[in-house]
Amino acid sequence: MKPRTLAALICPAVTLALLAGCSPSTGGTAEGADGAKKVKIALVMSHLTNSFTTTFSSAAKAEAEKQGAELTIFDGKKEQATQNAAIETAITQQFDGIMVEPGSVDGVKPAVEAANAAKIPIMTVVQKMTEQNLAKAYVGGDDEAAGKMQMEKAVDALGGKGNIAILWGPMGSDAQLIRKKGYDAVLAANPGVQVVFDSSANWVTDEGLKLVENWLQTGKKIDYVVAQNDAMAIGAAKAIQDAQLTTPVSGIDATPEGLQAITEGRLAGSVSQDTVGMGQLSTQVMLTVIKGESVQAETLTTPVWVTKDNVAQFA
């Protein structure tokens, strides 16, 4: 069973108040089996193209069902305009609360302000926005600590000297920026490690594969590849395998695919931030906010380094 790594939990278990909510499909009111009105939550993700976002979303939805609420997932499709439109839809359809994973730290601001104007509580999950004070709360992983841990492991593997390549998430996204902050702190303290290539693969496996293929074709030596998520890391590992090399690669998120790759020796490691627990906790916090009760401004999970030695604990 996957160990929980939650840094903080809400005090008592969430008990739902009987709040009104309108159906996102018909505009009508959702009711439970006993005729009581269900609390309705909108979860607006930046995208649903990898196992981290789908696992998080599924966990959040399952927790809502467990609590007697209804959660609808919206896909921002990696387009800020699409994500903002989804938030506007949730406002129009009078959801009781909105959770959003900002695709852009600044681009989501107008939609968040619109939710506030409509007096619908909105909170951020997984990634923050620049003006985080506009949201009721934030639940996510400690991305700076995760980035620091991942880069420290890479530096240790190289003995403090060598060439690394970095695969970024979408440039300007919160996770990309904050994980980079962790990387930068470690690299600044280890001048013997040089970044010879870095580019965004947008969290996507195929983009990571193509970038690393291109880097390897230059003939420039790469001693370690650090990817900001498992999907890109898996693409990088495939490129390295195809080139008949053994360059180590690590990721972040410890997704099912990432864990399998670690088990099979394709990835050197990944940083787990308890994706399932993060999804569950996000819903719990949202329900508490909807009830009008106070919550912590920020609740983070604790990163754990996963390798072949302990991967069985996370399966």
Side-chain angles (χ1 to χ4, degrees), residues 167-170 199-209 211-212 225-238 249-250 267:
L167 290 169
W168 307 112
S199 189
S200 173
N202 296 303
W203 307 133
V204 179
T205 298
D206 286 346
E207 292 189 33
L209 168 65
L211 275 173
V212 176
V225 178
V226 173
Q228 287 196 309
N229 80 341
D230 284 354
M232 298 185 298
I234 290 169
K238 179 64 166 61
V249 182
S250 68
L267 292 187

Side-chain angles (χ1 to χ4, degrees), residues 21-31 40-42 61 70-74 86 89-95:
C22 295
S23 167
S25 56
T26 64
T29 300
E31 294 186 351
K40 296 180 68 63
I41 301 170
K61 186 177 181 68
E70 182 176 322
L71 185 146
T72 301
I73 301 168
F74 293 84
T89 296
I91 294 169
T92 300
Q93 295 178 354
Q94 299 179 348
F95 277 75

Side-chain angles (χ1 to χ4, degrees), residues 67-114:
Q67 299 289 351
E70 182 176 322
L71 185 146
T72 301
I73 301 168
F74 293 84
D75 184 357
K77 301 183 182 298
K78 296 185 179 179
E79 298 173 350
Q80 193 58 60
T82 300
Q83 183 173 60
N84 287 356
I87 295 172
E88 293 285 357
T89 296
I91 294 169
T92 300
Q93 295 178 354
Q94 299 179 348
F95 277 75
D96 296 299
I98 301 170
M99 298 192 294
V100 57
E101 179 215 1
S104 163
V105 292
D106 296 314
V108 74
K109 179 182 175 181
V112 172
E113 289 179 326

Side-chain angles (χ1 to χ4, degrees), residues 54 63 78 104 112 121-122 196 211 244:
T54 56
E63 181 64 20
K78 296 185 179 179
S104 163
V112 172
I122 187 166
V196 292
L211 275 173
Q244 299 184 329

